[in-house]
Amino acid sequence: NAGVTQTPKFRILKIGQSMTLQCTQDMNHNYMYWYRQDPGMGLKLIYYSVGAGITDKGEVPNGYNVSRSTTEDFPLRLELAAPSQTSVYFCATVVGFDTEAFFGQGTRLTVV
Amino acid sequence: KQEVTQIPAALSVPEGENLVLNCSFTDSAIYNLQWFRQDPGKGLTSLLLIQSSQREQTSGRLNASLDKSSGRSTLYIAASQPGDSATYLCAVRILYSGNTPLVFGKGTRLSVIA
């Protein structure tokens, strides 16, 4: 039982490049979230999903896209990388609003 | 808009000391509050979850309290150890556009000196 798995762990992108951050969970949870964490700041919500085929924007969605074709996978897409997207990205999942959230180990992204 | 504040931002204590970390939130309409631990370069590990109807939760040397009406929570760590050194994050679960995401504070960075 791996929980929440994020790949890659580290990545350096050039400005304008694109990439997909992968998130997979084996907990059969419907709710999934993407957060970003900048130094000295709390986590900010980028996108979330309440189940397969349903996604919606969070607090800081600009420059990102998501899809949710299966319960297990919730990839985050960066189309035109910018230095402002340098951050650590965390994927999280939860079974319901009254249960604890579980986080992946994060993807550290640097855009140069 | 819900805002979560954690004080202090950093704390350094000698080993063996009991300590309290503080978390405050501006809107008392929360479902629950969760404390996390984050080690440098690592993900978040859940420590304690307190439902809005509860007053406290305990796990080992950790005790978290919740006063929803005043918008406060505390995390009490007894007999601190160097292994407790980490950043501690507080997060509240809110209702947002039909979903219930977590809203985070910026964390308290704890150093326990041997």
Side-chain angles (χ1 to χ4, degrees):
Chain A
N1 188 341
V4 183
T5 302
Q6 291 184 238
T7 57
K9 289 186 170 54
F10 305 93
R11 184 72 185 269
I12 298 175
L13 275 184
K14 294 184 178 179
I15 295 173
Q17 286 186 322
S18 61
M19 76 164 293
T20 299
L21 284 66
Q22 301 290 346
C23 175
T24 299
Q25 54 106 352
D26 61 3
M27 307 169 86
N28 202 31
H29 290 175
N30 282 327
Y31 299 90
M32 295 188 76
Y33 307 87
W34 274 106
Y35 289 88
R36 60 176 287 173
Q37 184 180 37
D38 299 309
M41 305 295 290
L43 281 73
K44 301 288 187 185
L45 181 66
I46 306 172
Y47 269 95
Y48 62 90
S49 170
V50 301
I54 306 171
T55 63
D56 210 341
K57 297 177 181 179
E59 185 180 0
V60 290
N62 291 344
Y64 308 95
N65 278 299
V66 294
S67 60
R68 185 92 183 272
S69 58
T70 66
T71 298
E72 293 78 20
D73 299 308
F74 190 39
L76 178 70
R77 178 84 176 163
L78 282 71
E79 291 294 349
L80 291 170
S84 61
Q85 293 177 306
T86 294
S87 189
V88 182
Y89 292 84
F90 288 101
C91 178
T93 182
V94 64
V95 65
F97 69 90
D98 59 349
T99 57
E100 66 180 325
F102 295 92
F103 281 74
Q105 290 298 298
T107 294
R108 186 174 298 273
L109 175 67
T110 302
V111 182
V112 296
Chain B
K1 178 185 175 185
Q2 178 73 265
E3 292 185 359
V4 179
T5 302
Q6 291 188 246
I7 295 174
L11 180 65
S12 183
V13 301
E15 181 178 6
E17 192 163 296
N18 301 325
L19 59 100
V20 174
L21 307 181
N22 296 294
C23 172
S24 62
F25 46 96
T26 55
D27 188 344
S28 62
I30 65 170
Y31 286 109
N32 52 51
L33 183 145
Q34 196 166 352
W35 282 94
F36 294 88
R37 169 185 173 136
Q38 185 176 28
D39 292 290
K42 301 295 185 183
L44 280 69
T45 300
S46 178
L47 296 174
L48 288 165
L49 172 70
I50 311 178
Q51 302 296 345
S52 62
S53 59
Q54 296 176 322
R55 297 287 290 185
E56 65 178 308
Q57 282 285 347
T58 298
S59 176
R61 294 182 295 109
L62 305 179
N63 176 277
S65 69
L66 175 64
D67 184 342
K68 199 175 79 161
S69 61
S70 67
R72 294 179 188 173
S73 176
T74 62
L75 179 66
Y76 175 83
I77 303 177
S80 59
Q81 304 170 357
D84 295 330
S85 297
T87 296
Y88 291 80
L89 294 163
C90 162
V92 296
R93 173 142 307 153
I94 64 169
L95 181 62
Y96 176 85
S97 297
N99 202 342
T100 55
L102 289 165
V103 178
F104 283 84
K106 295 180 181 180
T108 294
R109 189 171 65 254
L110 173 66
S111 297
V112 181
I113 311 302

